[in-house]
mmCIF file of all heavy atoms in Angstrom:
data_model
loop_
_atom_site.group_PDB
_atom_site.id
_atom_site.type_symbol
_atom_site.label_atom_id
_atom_site.label_comp_id
_atom_site.label_asym_id
_atom_site.label_seq_id
_atom_site.Cartn_x
_atom_site.Cartn_y
_atom_site.Cartn_z
ATOM 1 N N ARG A 6 0.829 -1.192 0.000
ATOM 2 C CA ARG A 6 0.000 0.000 0.000
ATOM 3 C C ARG A 6 0.869 1.249 0.000
ATOM 4 O O ARG A 6 1.926 1.276 0.596
ATOM 5 C CB ARG A 6 -0.922 0.023 1.218
ATOM 6 C CG ARG A 6 -1.925 -1.114 1.229
ATOM 7 C CD ARG A 6 -2.973 -0.910 2.327
ATOM 8 N NE ARG A 6 -2.347 -0.693 3.622
ATOM 9 C CZ ARG A 6 -2.361 0.468 4.265
ATOM 10 N NH1 ARG A 6 -2.922 1.529 3.717
ATOM 11 N NH2 ARG A 6 -1.797 0.596 5.448
ATOM 12 N N SER A 7 0.356 2.287 -0.634
ATOM 13 C CA SER A 7 0.999 3.596 -0.596
ATOM 14 C C SER A 7 0.202 4.495 0.326
ATOM 15 O O SER A 7 -0.982 4.249 0.575
ATOM 16 C CB SER A 7 1.053 4.209 -1.995
ATOM 17 O OG SER A 7 1.863 3.423 -2.847
ATOM 18 N N PRO A 8 0.813 5.552 0.827
ATOM 19 C CA PRO A 8 0.050 6.483 1.661
ATOM 20 C C PRO A 8 -1.104 7.091 0.878
ATOM 21 O O PRO A 8 -0.990 7.360 -0.315
ATOM 22 C CB PRO A 8 1.084 7.550 2.030
ATOM 23 C CG PRO A 8 2.407 6.895 1.828
ATOM 24 C CD PRO A 8 2.226 5.938 0.704
ATOM 25 N N ALA A 9 -2.216 7.318 1.554
ATOM 26 C CA ALA A 9 -3.353 7.976 0.923
ATOM 27 C C ALA A 9 -3.050 9.452 0.715
ATOM 28 O O ALA A 9 -2.132 10.009 1.321
ATOM 29 C CB ALA A 9 -4.598 7.807 1.798
ATOM 30 N N HIS A 10 -3.849 10.085 -0.154
ATOM 31 C CA HIS A 10 -3.681 11.515 -0.389
ATOM 32 C C HIS A 10 -3.700 12.288 0.919
ATOM 33 O O HIS A 10 -2.889 13.201 1.138
ATOM 34 C CB HIS A 10 -4.807 12.014 -1.293
ATOM 35 C CG HIS A 10 -4.554 11.756 -2.747
ATOM 36 N ND1 HIS A 10 -5.332 12.317 -3.734
ATOM 37 C CD2 HIS A 10 -3.614 11.014 -3.390
ATOM 38 C CE1 HIS A 10 -4.885 11.929 -4.922
ATOM 39 N NE2 HIS A 10 -3.846 11.128 -4.731
ATOM 40 N N ALA A 11 -4.641 11.944 1.790
ATOM 41 C CA ALA A 11 -4.776 12.672 3.051
ATOM 42 C C ALA A 11 -3.537 12.507 3.914
ATOM 43 O O ALA A 11 -3.111 13.441 4.600
ATOM 44 C CB ALA A 11 -6.014 12.191 3.808
ATOM 45 N N ASP A 12 -2.937 11.294 3.876
ATOM 46 C CA ASP A 12 -1.715 11.064 4.659
ATOM 47 C C ASP A 12 -0.583 11.957 4.162
ATOM 48 O O ASP A 12 0.154 12.556 4.954
ATOM 49 C CB ASP A 12 -1.283 9.590 4.553
ATOM 50 C CG ASP A 12 -2.303 8.645 5.163
ATOM 51 O OD1 ASP A 12 -2.821 8.964 6.243
ATOM 52 O OD2 ASP A 12 -2.566 7.595 4.551
ATOM 53 N N VAL A 13 -0.427 12.026 2.840
ATOM 54 C CA VAL A 13 0.648 12.834 2.266
ATOM 55 C C VAL A 13 0.391 14.320 2.508
ATOM 56 O O VAL A 13 1.312 15.077 2.818
ATOM 57 C CB VAL A 13 0.799 12.543 0.760
ATOM 58 C CG1 VAL A 13 1.853 13.452 0.137
ATOM 59 C CG2 VAL A 13 1.171 11.079 0.546
ATOM 60 N N ALA A 14 -0.870 14.745 2.379
ATOM 61 C CA ALA A 14 -1.201 16.156 2.598
ATOM 62 C C ALA A 14 -0.901 16.569 4.037
ATOM 63 O O ALA A 14 -0.368 17.658 4.288
ATOM 64 C CB ALA A 14 -2.673 16.400 2.271
ATOM 65 N N ARG A 15 -1.221 15.673 4.976
ATOM 66 C CA ARG A 15 -0.917 15.986 6.385
ATOM 67 C C ARG A 15 0.586 16.056 6.607
ATOM 68 O O ARG A 15 1.083 16.905 7.352
ATOM 69 C CB ARG A 15 -1.551 14.947 7.301
ATOM 70 C CG ARG A 15 -3.033 15.156 7.559
ATOM 71 C CD ARG A 15 -3.528 14.278 8.691
ATOM 72 N NE ARG A 15 -3.480 12.868 8.344
ATOM 73 C CZ ARG A 15 -4.476 12.208 7.783
ATOM 74 N NH1 ARG A 15 -5.616 12.840 7.496
ATOM 75 N NH2 ARG A 15 -4.366 10.919 7.503
ATOM 76 N N GLN A 16 1.331 15.143 5.963
ATOM 77 C CA GLN A 16 2.783 15.159 6.114
ATOM 78 C C GLN A 16 3.384 16.418 5.501
ATOM 79 O O GLN A 16 4.316 17.008 6.053
ATOM 80 C CB GLN A 16 3.398 13.915 5.474
ATOM 81 C CG GLN A 16 4.906 13.813 5.601
ATOM 82 C CD GLN A 16 5.353 13.705 7.046
ATOM 83 O OE1 GLN A 16 4.616 13.225 7.894
ATOM 84 N NE2 GLN A 16 6.564 14.164 7.352
ATOM 85 N N LEU A 17 2.858 16.842 4.363
ATOM 86 C CA LEU A 17 3.332 18.078 3.738
ATOM 87 C C LEU A 17 3.129 19.255 4.687
ATOM 88 O O LEU A 17 4.036 20.076 4.880
ATOM 89 C CB LEU A 17 2.598 18.318 2.424
ATOM 90 C CG LEU A 17 2.904 19.641 1.710
ATOM 91 C CD1 LEU A 17 4.363 19.707 1.302
ATOM 92 C CD2 LEU A 17 1.994 19.807 0.490
ATOM 93 N N ASP A 18 1.951 19.334 5.296
ATOM 94 C CA ASP A 18 1.689 20.424 6.253
ATOM 95 C C ASP A 18 2.642 20.341 7.440
ATOM 96 O O ASP A 18 3.124 21.375 7.943
ATOM 97 C CB ASP A 18 0.247 20.351 6.750
ATOM 98 C CG ASP A 18 -0.768 20.719 5.670
ATOM 99 O OD1 ASP A 18 -0.365 21.366 4.684
ATOM 100 O OD2 ASP A 18 -1.951 20.341 5.809
ATOM 101 N N ARG A 19 2.927 19.131 7.890
ATOM 102 C CA ARG A 19 3.826 18.945 9.035
ATOM 103 C C ARG A 19 5.229 19.441 8.706
ATOM 104 O O ARG A 19 5.884 20.118 9.514
ATOM 105 C CB ARG A 19 3.850 17.465 9.416
ATOM 106 C CG ARG A 19 4.607 17.148 10.705
ATOM 107 C CD ARG A 19 4.582 15.653 11.012
ATOM 108 N NE ARG A 19 3.234 15.192 11.313
ATOM 109 C CZ ARG A 19 2.540 14.333 10.574
ATOM 110 N NH1 ARG A 19 3.069 13.845 9.444
ATOM 111 N NH2 ARG A 19 1.344 13.952 10.923
ATOM 112 N N ILE A 20 5.701 19.123 7.509
ATOM 113 C CA ILE A 20 7.043 19.549 7.092
ATOM 114 C C ILE A 20 7.102 21.066 6.942
ATOM 115 O O ILE A 20 8.029 21.720 7.429
ATOM 116 C CB ILE A 20 7.433 18.856 5.772
ATOM 117 C CG1 ILE A 20 7.601 17.348 5.982
ATOM 118 C CG2 ILE A 20 8.722 19.458 5.204
ATOM 119 C CD1 ILE A 20 7.812 16.576 4.688
ATOM 120 N N LEU A 21 6.094 21.630 6.282
ATOM 121 C CA LEU A 21 6.117 23.069 6.005
ATOM 122 C C LEU A 21 5.972 23.900 7.282
ATOM 123 O O LEU A 21 6.350 25.076 7.296
ATOM 124 C CB LEU A 21 5.007 23.435 5.018
ATOM 125 C CG LEU A 21 5.146 22.834 3.612
ATOM 126 C CD1 LEU A 21 3.979 23.259 2.735
ATOM 127 C CD2 LEU A 21 6.461 23.238 2.978
ATOM 128 N N ALA A 22 5.435 23.294 8.343
ATOM 129 C CA ALA A 22 5.305 24.004 9.616
ATOM 130 C C ALA A 22 6.594 23.994 10.428
ATOM 131 O O ALA A 22 6.704 24.709 11.416
ATOM 132 C CB ALA A 22 4.173 23.398 10.450
ATOM 133 N N HIS A 23 7.572 23.186 9.985
ATOM 134 C CA HIS A 23 8.827 23.082 10.730
ATOM 135 C C HIS A 23 9.688 24.324 10.482
ATOM 136 O O HIS A 23 9.671 24.886 9.381
ATOM 137 C CB HIS A 23 9.591 21.826 10.294
ATOM 138 C CG HIS A 23 10.741 21.487 11.183
ATOM 139 N ND1 HIS A 23 11.996 22.017 11.009
ATOM 140 C CD2 HIS A 23 10.828 20.674 12.268
ATOM 141 C CE1 HIS A 23 12.801 21.534 11.931
ATOM 142 N NE2 HIS A 23 12.123 20.723 12.713
ATOM 143 N N PRO A 24 10.448 24.769 11.494
ATOM 144 C CA PRO A 24 11.299 25.960 11.314
ATOM 145 C C PRO A 24 12.256 25.868 10.133
ATOM 146 O O PRO A 24 12.585 26.894 9.522
ATOM 147 C CB PRO A 24 12.061 26.045 12.643
ATOM 148 C CG PRO A 24 11.149 25.408 13.639
ATOM 149 C CD PRO A 24 10.451 24.302 12.894
ATOM 150 N N LEU A 25 12.724 24.670 9.788
ATOM 151 C CA LEU A 25 13.624 24.531 8.648
ATOM 152 C C LEU A 25 12.996 25.076 7.371
ATOM 153 O O LEU A 25 13.686 25.655 6.523
ATOM 154 C CB LEU A 25 13.987 23.052 8.445
ATOM 155 C CG LEU A 25 15.085 22.454 9.314
ATOM 156 C CD1 LEU A 25 15.171 20.957 9.070
ATOM 157 C CD2 LEU A 25 16.431 23.114 9.056
ATOM 158 N N PHE A 26 11.678 24.886 7.235
ATOM 159 C CA PHE A 26 11.013 25.319 6.009
ATOM 160 C C PHE A 26 10.323 26.666 6.187
ATOM 161 O O PHE A 26 10.153 27.404 5.212
ATOM 162 C CB PHE A 26 10.016 24.251 5.554
ATOM 163 C CG PHE A 26 10.694 23.057 4.947
ATOM 164 C CD1 PHE A 26 11.186 22.038 5.743
ATOM 165 C CD2 PHE A 26 10.889 22.977 3.580
ATOM 166 C CE1 PHE A 26 11.837 20.948 5.201
ATOM 167 C CE2 PHE A 26 11.543 21.887 3.014
ATOM 168 C CZ PHE A 26 12.026 20.873 3.827
ATOM 169 N N GLN A 27 9.925 26.989 7.401
ATOM 170 C CA GLN A 27 9.340 28.309 7.621
ATOM 171 C C GLN A 27 10.342 29.415 7.319
ATOM 172 O O GLN A 27 9.960 30.520 6.940
ATOM 173 C CB GLN A 27 8.862 28.426 9.068
ATOM 174 C CG GLN A 27 7.577 27.657 9.344
ATOM 175 C CD GLN A 27 7.056 27.902 10.736
ATOM 176 O OE1 GLN A 27 7.825 28.165 11.663
ATOM 177 N NE2 GLN A 27 5.749 27.821 10.904
ATOM 178 N N ALA A 28 11.635 29.094 7.475
ATOM 179 C CA ALA A 28 12.679 30.082 7.224
ATOM 180 C C ALA A 28 12.983 30.237 5.736
ATOM 181 O O ALA A 28 13.772 31.100 5.361
ATOM 182 C CB ALA A 28 13.956 29.705 7.973
ATOM 183 N N SER A 29 12.403 29.403 4.897
ATOM 184 C CA SER A 29 12.682 29.476 3.459
ATOM 185 C C SER A 29 11.381 29.394 2.680
ATOM 186 O O SER A 29 10.827 28.320 2.481
ATOM 187 C CB SER A 29 13.625 28.348 3.034
ATOM 188 O OG SER A 29 13.827 28.372 1.631
ATOM 189 N N HIS A 30 10.876 30.538 2.252
ATOM 190 C CA HIS A 30 9.620 30.571 1.514
ATOM 191 C C HIS A 30 9.760 29.893 0.155
ATOM 192 O O HIS A 30 8.825 29.233 -0.326
ATOM 193 C CB HIS A 30 9.169 32.020 1.332
ATOM 194 C CG HIS A 30 8.980 32.753 2.622
ATOM 195 N ND1 HIS A 30 8.094 32.334 3.589
ATOM 196 C CD2 HIS A 30 9.563 33.868 3.128
ATOM 197 C CE1 HIS A 30 8.126 33.164 4.614
ATOM 198 N NE2 HIS A 30 9.023 34.094 4.373
ATOM 199 N N ARG A 31 10.899 30.031 -0.469
ATOM 200 C CA ARG A 31 11.076 29.469 -1.824
ATOM 201 C C ARG A 31 11.136 27.957 -1.801
ATOM 202 O O ARG A 31 10.536 27.284 -2.638
ATOM 203 C CB ARG A 31 12.324 30.060 -2.475
ATOM 204 C CG ARG A 31 12.142 31.534 -2.838
ATOM 205 C CD ARG A 31 13.408 32.170 -3.340
ATOM 206 N NE ARG A 31 14.436 32.127 -2.309
ATOM 207 C CZ ARG A 31 15.579 31.471 -2.445
ATOM 208 N NH1 ARG A 31 15.831 30.818 -3.545
ATOM 209 N NH2 ARG A 31 16.471 31.481 -1.485
#
């Protein structure tokens, strides 16, 4: 099985909320 769309979308939000990515808009 692969992750569902909702699983990936939640993971994307989790990553983008991390300071590593909040510091880089691009």
Side-chain angles (χ1 to χ4, degrees):
R6 296 190 307 110
S7 296
H10 278 191
D12 296 318
V13 176
R15 280 192 293 269
Q16 181 63 27
L17 175 63
D18 290 341
R19 187 180 294 115
I20 293 173
L21 295 179
H23 192 273
L25 279 173
F26 285 84
Q27 285 186 331
S29 176
H30 301 301
R31 290 174 299 117

